[in-house]
Amino acid sequence: DHASILEISERAFVELDILEKRLRELETKLDQSDIYEQWEHLHEIFQRRGGYERRSRRDAVLFALGFRGREDQTASSLSGGEKTRLGLAQLLMAQPDVLLLDEPTNHLDMEMRSWLEGYLTRYPGGVLLVSHDREFLDKACDVTAEISFGKLRTYPGNPTQYRHYRADQLEI
């Protein structure tokens, strides 16, 4: 695959591009009442997934993850760590309703990591984050989940706040 970084980035928008095309098709038939409800539902999804902002989001993510000015470079020429970062970038650009991230700070420098913390705190969907980096988790999370004895429990606050709460509960 000799795709450029920009071409790989654009692949993140395939679903949004299809959704936008469907919205345009429906707009030609909006005089029919049942069509408007369909359009309204699809438009809400398009907006929630950041359809109107996708190109500016692409540019911001590429800049933050170190790819600005390298958009024409072939992705196959990237190092392993850079390919991992490009995969993370593609996922962030797609902006799914639920973002599942496992050790997302791998291959990120301090500036990129700080940017990702902020990005995740403002993420419009749900984020399930797995990491051994406690500082990152404390800055990026506002709800902590625990799976214990076959039950899932959630607690408001970051992991450090959860650990204090849990210690207090065990003491009681």
Side-chain angles (χ1 to χ4, degrees):
D1 188 6
H2 295 289
S4 69
I5 290 172
L6 184 62
E7 290 167 333
I8 297 285
S9 299
E10 286 297 313
R11 292 177 189 170
F13 305 128
V14 168
E15 289 178 20
L16 288 170
D17 291 342
I18 290 169
L19 197 54
E20 184 177 46
K21 182 179 177 188
R22 180 69 181 132
L23 285 169
R24 286 189 181 142
E25 289 169 1
L26 290 174
E27 285 170 4
T28 65
K29 305 172 188 172
L30 280 179
D31 54 340
Q32 303 167 27
S33 63
D34 61 325
I35 297 295
Y36 182 75
E37 286 179 22
Q38 271 186 313
W39 181 89
E40 195 172 48
H41 173 71
L42 292 177
H43 187 253
E44 189 275 324
I45 294 169
F46 185 76
Q47 279 188 302
R48 185 180 67 236
R49 298 262 325 265
Y52 292 114
E53 303 85 23
R54 63 190 185 269
R55 302 299 187 247
S56 61
R57 184 170 59 250
R58 177 201 61 210
D59 295 344
V61 170
L62 288 177
F63 175 76
L65 294 182
F67 296 108
R68 183 175 185 188
R70 300 172 62 191
E71 294 87 354
D72 294 328
Q73 184 178 343
T74 59
S76 61
S77 71
L78 298 175
S79 71
E82 290 173 320
K83 287 177 183 176
T84 300
R85 276 201 335 261
L86 184 57
L88 174 63
Q90 196 175 21
L91 186 60
L92 297 175
M93 287 180 237
Q95 196 168 297
D97 288 334
V98 178
L99 192 57
L100 306 174
L101 298 175
D102 184 11
E103 299 293 349
T105 57
N106 289 352
H107 308 290
L108 300 184
D109 63 23
M110 294 304 289
E111 193 173 314
M112 293 173 192
R113 185 181 155 223
S114 179
W115 174 85
L116 183 59
E117 289 167 1
Y119 187 88
L120 293 178
T121 62
R122 296 181 306 277
Y123 193 76
V127 179
L128 177 61
L129 182 58
V130 177
S131 179
H132 290 89
D133 185 337
R134 288 184 180 185
E135 183 181 344
F136 175 75
L137 287 171
D138 279 348
K139 290 180 179 177
C141 297
D142 59 5
V143 174
T144 302
E146 171 192 56
I147 300 174
S148 180
F149 300 108
K151 295 193 180 209
L152 174 70
R153 294 175 188 87
T154 59
Y155 301 89
N158 65 37
T160 296
Q161 293 166 329
Y162 160 73
R163 281 191 297 281
H164 293 307
Y165 169 81
R166 187 78 172 116
D168 291 346
Q169 292 303 306
L170 289 171
E171 193 173 304
I172 291 171

